[in-house]
Amino acid sequence: MGYTSALDSFKKIDILVNGNVDFANADLKIRTLSFHSGKIERFQLPNHPDVLLNANKEEDVLSDSDDINGNFTYPIFLPNGEKKYDKVIVLLHGLNERSWMKYMPWADELARSTNSAVILFPISYHINRAPKEWADPRAMLSVLNDCNQRYGKADSSSFVNIALSRRLLSDPLRFFTSGYQSAIDLVSLLEQIQMGSIPYVKGDAQVDFFAYSIGAFLSQILFIANPNDIVSNSRLFMFCGGAFFNDMNGVSKMIMDEASFSKIFSYYNDEFEKESARQTRLGVFIADNRFAMAFRSMLNMDRLKDFRCDMFSKFKGQVYAISLLKDKVIPPTGVSSFFRSIGSKNIEMVDFAFPHSHEQPFPIIGKPTIGDAVDGGFKHVFRRAASFLG
């Protein structure tokens, strides 16, 4: 089955509503499992004028929702039905995703081509870890119109990116704290697998990662921190990701607007590092916590370079990336810089023979004439992934 036909099939399924799914003409089964995210350290922006000068009041509908974010389900794809698998791939998505639809053919292909169970794990405040209103066009269009009236219309704003944009603009620290919670959750997931407490997965299963976009950034941080050698035997395949933060450009109507990206870009390239030298609760935490150090080391090539390179020197052969030459969000030059910094050549540059972008690497909606070409591009990426992770 090609990518386009697989996507047509999965469009009929809302995994967040249907939960468990069986297929009449295939062994593939999809099951959903519950997860509880433990309480993590909470921080607020330090009261420094240069940080708070442009602070914006946040709309109530965009406020944190700890219960929704902390208690959720995730899908697991079982290519050969309900049995115990000795290989599992954790698939991590991109920034500002509100649905699994884009990734279901990806998970299906990885599961079938590697005979692995594939877990689609949501990042903090994404997919079903966020209030439903954030994915509701009508609700978000109301927020967008209100913001346009109050602050002026921004060309890069849309009802798709307004929730993430406003949340980061009002509190840029959320980019770090959400990532930290996601990393802690992944460690908990891996520990559950090791203990044999995840249905359909053996306790001694090989665990690998397929990570896209900001999911790749999160994976790099996990591999650098590597608490208790939790990923020492894991492999990481990155697609449209792998760059240092300061080589990224998140401005997109599908990701975040220009004002919010400028805010976090400035904050993490300047004030965040200054805070690590202050004796505040946040400063002490980001100076000493292993995940915070890993995060800081991925902000730019020169920050905590020895720490990052020492850790990744152990993983050079376990990490591979495919970068798109036309990617404007996480450009290939940025991904190349990371691989050069760890002394690895496990990177491939690809230029598909059809219109595509970082946000839509395999576009088919409204473009049926390029279906065969898209199938070919998809097959190339996922054959590489299966070869590396299989």
Side-chain angles (χ1 to χ4, degrees):
M1 182 185 296
Y3 170 74
T4 52
S5 56
L7 187 59
D8 285 340
S9 297
F10 285 120
K11 279 180 182 177
K12 304 170 185 175
I13 302 167
D14 186 343
I15 194 64
L16 299 179
V17 173
N18 298 96
N20 297 337
V21 179
D22 294 337
F23 297 86
N25 300 316
D27 292 331
L28 174 70
K29 296 183 184 297
I30 304 174
R31 298 294 181 255
T32 54
L33 304 175
S34 298
F35 191 92
H36 172 70
S37 178
K39 186 177 181 181
I40 65 164
E41 195 83 13
R42 300 295 292 268
F43 301 101
Q44 293 182 340
L45 282 175
N47 189 25
H48 299 301
D50 50 346
V51 176
L52 299 178
L53 183 63
N54 295 315
N56 288 266
K57 186 178 184 300
E58 181 174 276
E59 293 77 6
D60 289 342
V61 71
L62 303 181
S63 298
D64 289 345
S65 179
D66 289 344
D67 184 58
I68 294 174
N69 183 45
N71 299 283
F72 57 93
T73 60
Y74 62 86
I76 181 169
F77 279 57
L78 309 171
N80 301 308
E82 292 183 324
K83 68 170 196 173
K84 288 281 189 178
Y85 290 81
D86 57 12
K87 294 189 296 181
V88 59
I89 296 172
V90 179
L91 191 156
L92 298 175
H93 59 79
L95 195 60
N96 198 39
E97 299 285 6
R98 302 297 168 203
S99 164
W100 283 123
M101 182 55 62
K102 170 180 176 178
Y103 300 97
M104 292 178 73
W106 300 19
D108 175 47
E109 182 65 25
L110 286 171
R112 289 190 298 104
S113 61
T114 65
N115 285 314
S116 303
V118 176
I119 290 173
L120 292 95
F121 197 80
I123 294 172
S124 177
Y125 283 104
H126 284 69
I127 317 283
N128 56 324
R129 299 185 65 172
K132 292 180 180 179
E133 290 85 353
W134 298 2
D136 182 342
R138 181 175 296 180
M140 290 302 98
L141 191 58
S142 175
V143 174
L144 177 64
N145 290 336
D146 182 58
C147 290
N148 288 342
Q149 290 179 359
R150 285 194 287 165
Y151 308 116
K153 188 174 182 179
D155 291 338
S156 55
S157 294
S158 70
F159 71 86
V160 176
N161 72 20
I162 192 65
L164 179 65
S165 297
R166 294 298 303 168
R167 281 173 54 79
L168 291 178
L169 200 59
S170 65
D171 185 359
L173 195 56
R174 279 178 169 141
F175 184 71
F176 168 72
T177 55
S178 291
Y180 174 62
Q181 182 173 22
S182 301
I184 294 297
D185 289 343
L186 284 171
V187 171
S188 177
L189 176 71
L190 297 182
E191 289 174 342
Q192 290 176 34
I193 291 174
Q194 288 180 345
M195 292 186 292
S197 57
I198 299 291
Y200 318 118
V201 179
K202 294 180 180 179
D204 59 351
Q206 169 69 29
V207 182
D208 297 312
F209 294 82
F210 181 101
Y212 163 76
S213 189
I214 206 66
F217 187 70
L218 173 61
S219 299
Q220 288 166 297
I221 291 166
L222 175 63
F223 273 61
I224 294 169
N226 192 21
N228 298 317
D229 292 322
I230 195 77
V231 293
S232 288
N233 297 317
S234 296
R235 291 164 293 188
L236 168 61
F237 187 96
M238 299 187 291
F239 177 50
C240 294
F244 295 103
F245 174 75
N246 73 333
D247 287 324
M248 300 180 189
N249 179 10
V251 180
S252 164
K253 289 195 173 185
M254 297 180 70
I255 304 174
M256 71 180 80
D257 62 27
E258 187 171 1
S260 60
F261 182 72
S262 296
K263 182 79 170 181
I264 66 169
F265 191 86
S266 173
Y267 177 69
Y268 287 104
N269 279 299
D270 183 22
E271 185 59 35
F272 190 76
E273 191 62 20
K274 290 179 181 176
E275 190 63 33
S276 68
R278 297 177 177 131
Q279 290 302 304
T280 61
R281 193 164 67 91
L282 174 60
V284 171
F285 181 82
I286 62 178
D288 297 338
N289 179 271
R290 193 166 183 82
F291 278 107
M293 292 174 65
F295 175 82
R296 289 164 57 206
S297 79
M298 284 300 302
L299 292 176
N300 66 57
M301 185 186 295
D302 297 321
R303 194 165 294 176
L304 296 180
K305 182 177 180 179
D306 291 342
F307 172 68
R308 178 186 67 248
C309 291
D310 178 60
M311 295 306 299
F312 252 109
S313 66
K314 306 168 186 176
F315 293 111
K316 280 196 300 186
Q318 296 166 234
V319 182
Y320 192 96
I322 287 184
S323 182
L324 299 181
L325 286 173
K326 292 186 175 70
D327 194 330
K328 295 181 180 179
V329 176
I330 302 181
T333 52
V335 184
S336 293
S337 293
F338 169 77
F339 276 86
R340 283 197 307 272
S341 77
I342 64 170
S344 172
K345 296 182 179 180
N346 281 1
I347 177 174
E348 179 183 352
M349 306 293 187
V350 173
D351 190 13
F352 293 142
F354 52 85
H356 61 278
S357 64
H358 173 92
E359 302 93 319
Q360 294 182 320
F362 308 114
I364 62 160
I365 298 175
K367 300 178 180 179
T369 58
I370 65 170
D372 288 345
V374 173
D375 282 350
F378 178 82
K379 186 180 295 184
H380 177 83
V381 171
F382 283 85
R383 277 182 176 173
R384 284 283 195 275
S387 176
F388 187 73
L389 301 174

